[in-house]
Amino acid sequence: MNLRRTLATAGRVLGQLRHDPRTIAMLLVVPCVLLTLLKYMFDGQPGAFDRIGPALLGIFPLLVMFLVTSVAMLRERTSGTLERLLTMPLGRLDLLLGYGLAFGAVALVQAALASALAIGPLGVHVAGPTWLIFAVAVGDGLLGMALGLLVSAFAATEFQAVQFLPAVLLPQLLLCGLFVPRDSMATALRWASDVLPLSYAVDAMNRLTGTPGVGGAVLADLAVLVGATLLALGLGAATLRRRTA
Amino acid sequence: MMNSRAGDEPAIRVTGLTVRRGGRTVLHGLDLDVPHGSITGLLGPSGCGKSTLLRSVVGVQRTSGGEVRVLGAPAGSAGLRHRVGYVTQAPSVYGDLTVAENLRYFAAVLGAPAGDPARVIAQVGLAGHEQDLTARLSGGQRARVSLAAALLGAPELLILDEPTVGLDPVLRQDLWQLFRSLADQGATLLVSSHVMDEATRCDRLLLMRDGRLLAHDTPAELLRATGTADIDAAFLHLVQAEPVGSPR
């Protein structure tokens, strides 16, 4: 791995985004609009948004980063630029970390905006430290990015890449505890939800809004998120073959 | 460069190269040498295996037999990655970046000097287009951005897959002059084309058909041996001379 090449790659990815202001706007604005929508959807059920809002702060970064990264990486594979880069002295880790830095920065801005909106105007009560909310949200964003990189290897077209959203993320969304508490699911589903990383993102957000201080359980959730991210990045790196058929 | 002329090994040495893809043999045990400081043209109809051969030389093709040595090292080895420039058939540059941004990025990856992007932009005749978004350029201009990226860092070996497709005659002439000046400065070029009239601009020719090498010679010798007046006719002569019912 080489710092100059990693930073050049991150700069290049951000440069591509800079030429696409509509994508930037959607990345940043859509989560805020959806949060606001939900707040007023549950207008008649006090307390409901307090339960769902924090969970969504953990879910949005993952969804958005997954979509953006899987399409960006697929374009890199189909346009031949990946093949060109792999004939150059660029390490696979340089490429992945470059994407990680660039989209991580976007995830940070997105998480900051969404959390500020939720905690401020939308009045979500957070007992734990606010910086941990950011940390979990950025961790989610990075996990979404790593999963997106990984699935891009299995998609031949952008249609397929987009279909991985319902295939990979929807089951996690259903089982993460957003709709039903994880304890009340059938045992097999409970086990499934235990191995899906999004469950830990939602758990962490729920703990942070419920209990003050930095609990060990939150840090354990965060560690699971980081571990899942590294695992997905490692598997993603294995799919970046210099030699192909 | 150290090792660049280790012993008397040519710039590229291919022995018994076989490539199978999806149960079909694409290259049938090719043998060929490409000497240093020359332009070798790789000619043959579309689909005959030219790109597969070039990808094998760059080291991105999964091969199923034989050996490819490039600049004294196995094709694709890490030490070759800043010594070999490669242009794929479809322009492999970022459409959503400007010409200058594309070249600055690839220059940073290669560790090329800071002035290199400006130099290669001038070499491919794209001066004045630095700030244009690559996706908005014409097909020929995009192809030249892709070529410019391969010239960064002045590589010793250039592998060019149909670099002149879709260019007007004036631009093609300019690019061939550029290729010649690079070869005169010691670079080795392997250039594929399906336009036979580009053959006369090469020092040596490789004629390919159905994954086999029909001929490997200088243009003049090829014409003399086949008793033909142009490379098109020579190609036809060689195809007709092939044993009847030769396996595909």
Side-chain angles (χ1 to χ4, degrees):
Chain A
M1 117 139 241
N2 171 302
L3 189 64
R4 187 194 72 227
R5 295 187 185 121
T6 305
L7 290 178
T9 303
R12 185 264 296 172
V13 173
L14 288 175
Q16 288 176 285
L17 267 185
R18 198 169 54 80
H19 285 291
D20 187 1
R22 194 176 300 172
T23 295
I24 300 182
M26 290 180 65
L27 279 173
L28 301 181
V29 173
V30 168
C32 294
V33 171
L34 290 178
L35 276 173
T36 313
L37 184 76
L38 278 162
K39 162 79 178 171
Y40 293 102
M41 215 175 94
F42 288 109
D43 209 26
Q45 300 176 38
F49 185 68
D50 274 344
R51 191 173 61 79
I52 290 173
L56 289 176
L57 283 181
I59 291 169
F60 283 144
L62 186 102
L63 278 179
V64 172
M65 289 300 143
F66 178 89
L67 255 189
V68 173
T69 317
S70 57
V71 172
M73 199 63 193
L74 182 73
R75 273 162 58 183
E76 189 102 68
R77 287 174 198 269
T78 52
S79 68
T81 47
L82 180 66
E83 180 161 302
R84 161 168 256 150
L85 288 175
L86 291 178
T87 67
M88 290 183 167
L90 181 80
R92 294 184 290 185
L93 212 53
D94 297 333
L95 182 66
L96 292 178
L97 291 179
Y99 266 96
L101 279 179
F103 285 145
V106 177
L108 191 69
V109 177
Q110 187 201 52
L113 283 177
S115 326
L117 177 74
I119 297 167
L122 301 185
V124 168
H125 177 71
V126 177
T130 316
W131 66 266
L132 253 181
I133 296 260
F134 288 134
V136 174
V138 172
D140 288 344
L142 289 176
L143 173 65
M145 183 212 76
L147 289 174
L149 284 175
L150 179 58
V151 303
S152 77
F154 302 98
T157 65
E158 296 189 6
F159 282 146
Q160 291 178 9
V162 174
Q163 291 304 319
F164 273 110
L165 180 76
V168 173
L169 291 194
L170 204 54
Q172 301 201 49
L173 199 61
L174 294 176
L175 298 178
C176 71
L178 176 68
F179 297 100
V180 212
R182 300 207 293 132
D183 296 327
S184 61
M185 293 177 195
T187 316
L189 292 184
R190 172 73 219 254
W191 289 339
S193 100
D194 278 348
V195 295
L196 294 174
L198 187 58
S199 309
Y200 296 87
V202 171
D203 280 359
M205 286 301 191
N206 286 335
R207 281 192 237 278
L208 277 171
T209 45
T211 45
V214 181
V218 172
L219 295 181
D221 291 332
L222 201 53
V224 172
L225 286 181
V226 172
T229 304
L230 293 179
L231 179 68
L233 273 182
L235 292 173
T239 67
L240 295 176
R241 296 277 166 76
R242 287 192 197 267
R243 281 181 190 271
T244 50
Chain B
M1 281 273 166
M2 213 172 44
N3 287 338
S4 68
R5 302 203 178 201
D8 286 329
E9 200 171 304
I12 301 172
R13 167 159 284 170
V14 175
T15 35
L17 174 65
T18 302
V19 172
R20 283 191 203 91
R21 192 185 293 129
R24 208 171 63 87
T25 305
V26 186
L27 298 181
H28 302 262
L30 298 191
D31 295 300
L32 62 101
D33 281 354
V34 171
H36 284 278
S38 65
I39 304 180
T40 300
L42 175 59
L43 301 179
S46 187
C48 72
K50 298 190 297 288
S51 295
T52 307
L53 173 58
L54 296 183
R55 295 185 73 231
S56 306
V57 172
V58 180
V60 296
Q61 175 67 50
R62 206 178 291 150
T63 60
S64 31
E67 195 190 14
V68 184
R69 290 183 62 79
V70 174
L71 303 174
S77 42
L80 292 175
R81 289 195 194 124
H82 58 271
R83 298 172 65 195
V84 178
Y86 172 43
V87 180
T88 50
Q89 205 165 346
S92 48
V93 286
Y94 298 100
D96 45 4
L97 290 182
T98 66
V99 173
E101 284 169 339
N102 262 297
L103 295 171
R104 273 204 302 272
Y105 172 57
F106 290 121
V109 169
L110 287 165
D116 248 23
R119 173 181 67 87
V120 297
I121 286 173
Q123 275 183 323
V124 300
L126 282 177
H129 290 282
E130 290 87 347
Q131 302 311 321
D132 290 359
L133 211 53
T134 308
R136 299 231 178 91
L137 297 175
S138 73
Q141 288 171 324
R142 261 203 307 280
R144 281 183 283 151
V145 180
S146 196
L147 173 63
L151 299 175
L152 291 165
E156 294 159 63
L157 175 65
L158 274 167
I159 307 293
L160 310 177
D161 200 351
E162 310 228 359
T164 57
V165 163
L167 297 185
D168 71 65
V170 178
L171 269 171
R172 271 169 56 187
Q173 162 111 343
D174 289 350
L175 284 186
W176 277 101
Q177 274 168 8
L178 169 65
F179 298 161
R180 176 53 63 195
S181 75
L182 292 170
D184 288 346
Q185 289 158 39
T188 306
L189 290 90
L190 179 56
V191 186
S192 82
S193 175
H194 65 260
V195 189
M196 296 288 176
D197 65 1
E198 294 195 326
T200 49
R201 301 174 183 275
C202 303
D203 301 313
R204 301 183 68 81
L205 293 178
L206 295 163
L207 292 194
M208 257 184 105
R209 184 165 187 265
D210 288 338
R212 289 190 171 76
L213 227 45
L214 290 182
H216 181 188
D217 221 327
T218 63
E221 185 54 30
L222 202 63
L223 296 181
R224 199 195 58 77
T226 54
T228 49
D230 59 63
I231 301 295
D232 244 342
F235 186 85
L236 284 173
H237 180 94
L238 289 166
V239 169
Q240 279 152 11
E242 268 189 315
V244 177
S246 68
R248 299 226 146 177

